[in-house]
Structure formats: C-alpha cells, structure tokens
Amino acid sequence: MRITSRWLLLAQWLGLFSMLTVPAQQAIVNLPSADITPEGKHFIMHETQWRPWNPGRYWYATNFYCYGIGKNTELAVTTYNSGTPQALNENIGVGFKTALPMFQKRHPAWEMKWRWGRW
C-alpha cells in the first residue's frame, strides 16, 4: 500500500485538530423530531438546570412552546437561559416544523417522515 502525500497531509491535519480543546454546548430538547402537534392544540415543555450549592449557584430554564397549525406543521417558540444569575446569552428562538408521512399506505408501521423546518 502506497501512502501518498495527500493522505499524509490529511493525517497530520486530523492529528492537529484532535489535540485542540474547543468549548462547545449542545442543546438537546427531549422531543421526537418527527412528532407534530395536532392542529389547534398546544404543547408546552419546561426544562430546568439547577445547581443549588455555592460557589456558582444558578438556575436556568429552557421553555418550549408549539402550536399545531394543521397540514403536518407546527409553529414553535423557545426561550433559552432564562434564570438567575442573568445569563449573558439569554435567547428567544421562533420557528416551524413540517413532517410529511412517507410510505404511510404501503408500510404504516415504519412511521417514516420527511421533516423540514427551523426551530
């Protein structure tokens, strides 16, 4: 097996990036991404992150609200980092989601859906 300079350069870059420390955060909302709120119905979810001891005592909340508008579509509003002490990056996000059933007549047990939208 011959190692070309292109593969060697790629291996060097991967090795370099594997040594970097990058601060990151991932928000995971406990909602199945293909479930849609039924038309005319409301869905509300609250998530709390809390540390009651000092130093660094805090309480932060994520609130998620959806309203089903029909045709497999829902509108959503999400607030992030509400709480105390006040976060520097408190945010409100608005969006929508559509999930269209696929193969529903042929394979109803599959529950496959094509999802499109922005939360």
Side-chain angles (χ1 to χ4, degrees):
M1 180 171 152
R2 195 174 119 204
I3 298 176
T4 64
S5 61
R6 187 179 326 166
W7 287 108
L8 188 58
L9 183 61
L10 177 63
Q12 289 173 340
W13 275 103
L14 290 175
L16 175 68
F17 286 123
S18 70
M19 292 186 286
L20 297 176
T21 301
V22 180
Q25 179 178 352
Q26 179 179 7
I28 299 174
V29 177
N30 296 321
L31 290 174
S33 64
D35 287 355
I36 297 293
T37 306
E39 183 176 3
K41 301 290 182 180
H42 304 269
F43 176 83
I44 299 171
M45 186 180 73
H46 170 82
E47 178 181 307
T48 290
Q49 298 154 7
W50 178 44
R51 185 166 75 186
W53 57 86
N54 274 321
R57 178 181 293 177
Y58 67 84
W59 172 79
Y60 291 118
T62 298
N63 298 295
F64 187 74
Y65 168 77
C66 282
Y67 179 72
I69 61 172
K71 299 191 188 234
N72 300 308
T73 302
E74 65 185 18
L75 302 176
V77 176
T78 306
T79 63
Y80 300 96
N81 288 337
S82 303
T84 185
Q86 184 174 359
L88 297 174
N89 59 348
E90 188 171 348
N91 296 293
I92 296 175
V94 294
F96 73 96
K97 178 177 68 173
T98 298
L100 301 173
M102 298 171 55
F103 311 114
Q104 190 172 21
K105 292 181 182 178
R106 180 179 267 180
H107 302 287
W110 286 3
E111 291 191 84
M112 290 183 65
K113 296 180 181 177
W114 181 77
R115 189 183 74 79
W116 181 71
R118 200 71 191 152
W119 281 342

